[in-house]
Amino acid sequence: MFDALAGRYDLMNDVLSMGQVRLWRKSVQRILRVGPGDRVLDLAAGTGTSSVSFAAAGANVVACDFSLGMLQAGQARLAKSDPLQAKTRGRVAFAAGDALHLPFSGGAFDAVTISFGLRNVQGTREALAEMRRVTRPGGRLVVCEFSTITVEPIDMLYRRYLTGVLPAIARRAARNPEAYEYLSESISDWPSQRELANVIRAAGWSAVKWRDLSLGVVAIHVGRNP
Ligand SMILES: C[S@@+](CC[C@H](N)C(=O)[O-])C[C@H]1O[C@@H](n2cnc3c(N)ncnc32)[C@H](O)[C@@H]1O
């Protein structure tokens, strides 16, 4: 599915989130707080939009995804853009890999992060355990994902947006509108903030906490590999 979305993926994110996705990514960057020399795995990285911001802060980033189409779109964008190359200075490596069987040795990373990807992996807890395997002891986890709105009347409006407005915009603007029906459904079916925190703990992470963004449209969960 993601191979078919790759060409317009980032544009559609901007349109459907009304630009909010950029603020959400900035929050991830602030919370992840990586710096020069840090080894970071950006899992389910897609076109590597977040990976680029971590590399711009000096980290060495592996952008890993199992969609070759998404990885190729990200690589092509980086290869074409002088400003992006100047910012990242060869610190982003694109790698094909499945979240459930990561092609990295144990403890290879100081921090592991996943944005808008965990919901799409078939095996949430298994992926979180695999992420822990490749994180060094004391290393960090940051998960950014759609979540549950905490204010009732706004939640009602948001659900209307998800089931009515979003698919209608996608029918006009996306090449593959069915994928956006899946997006709405997968957001509705996804666990709440507290439930996801419990799944993260069950996968062995400690010090698990979360922060809501945009009233809970998105939540960022953090954890530490004990
Ligand atoms: C909605 S995109 C998110 C991309 C990117 N992280 C971002 O913030 O824009 C979800 C990504 O998860 C990837 N994905 C889903 N299941 C995966 C798995 N088992 N292993 C690796 N990547 C996976 C898809 O290929 C897709 O690129």
Side-chain angles (χ1 to χ4, degrees):
M1 175 176 79
F2 285 98
D3 281 347
L5 297 181
R8 285 195 168 188
Y9 173 75
D10 287 285
L11 173 69
M12 287 302 294
N13 280 349
D14 272 335
V15 171
L16 294 173
S17 73
M18 295 173 251
Q20 293 283 302
V21 66
R22 291 173 186 242
L23 302 178
W24 299 334
R25 290 193 196 284
K26 284 215 170 87
S27 297
V28 170
Q29 197 186 346
R30 259 198 312 276
I31 289 171
L32 192 62
R33 238 189 19 258
V34 288
D38 284 343
R39 300 161 304 164
V40 176
L41 172 63
D42 185 12
L43 183 57
T47 58
T49 308
S50 291
S51 320
V52 162
S53 69
F54 310 141
N60 296 312
V61 186
V62 177
C64 177
D65 200 288
F66 72 1
S67 161
L68 296 184
M70 293 288 265
L71 292 174
Q72 280 157 3
Q75 248 169 342
R77 182 182 53 200
L78 197 53
K80 267 197 283 188
S81 161
D82 290 340
L84 278 187
Q85 280 174 36
K87 267 208 243 175
T88 54
R89 295 177 178 271
R91 288 188 295 257
V92 180
F94 289 89
D98 185 342
L100 300 175
H101 306 282
L102 289 172
F104 309 112
S105 51
F109 296 97
D110 298 303
V112 179
T113 181
I114 183 165
S115 290
F116 309 109
L118 195 55
R119 186 177 28 88
N120 296 293
V121 175
Q122 304 296 310
T124 310
R125 179 166 161 181
E126 292 79 0
L128 286 162
E130 187 61 352
M131 290 165 84
R132 191 163 84 83
R133 181 186 68 75
V134 301
T135 306
R136 68 162 169 79
R140 286 170 304 124
L141 169 76
V142 176
V143 177
C144 174
E145 193 47 270
F146 291 107
S147 200
T148 305
I149 295 208
T150 47
V151 181
E152 189 71 35
I154 296 182
D155 185 46
M156 254 171 49
L157 287 176
Y158 177 60
R159 283 183 191 281
R160 278 194 210 153
Y161 171 76
L162 278 182
T163 52
V165 181
L166 185 148
I169 298 174
R171 275 194 294 277
R172 287 180 154 246
R175 295 210 177 100
N176 188 346
E178 314 79 57
Y180 290 90
E181 276 166 31
Y182 161 76
L183 171 68
S184 300
E185 283 161 21
S186 66
I187 292 174
S188 302
D189 294 346
W190 187 243
S192 69
Q193 290 83 333
R194 190 171 301 283
E195 288 164 341
L196 181 60
N198 287 336
V199 180
I200 295 173
R201 284 187 197 104
W205 294 92
S206 65
V208 177
K209 300 185 275 199
W210 71 87
R211 178 182 299 174
D212 288 336
L213 305 178
S214 308
L215 300 174
V217 171
V218 163
I220 298 181
H221 286 71
V222 298
R224 189 168 287 280
N225 191 12

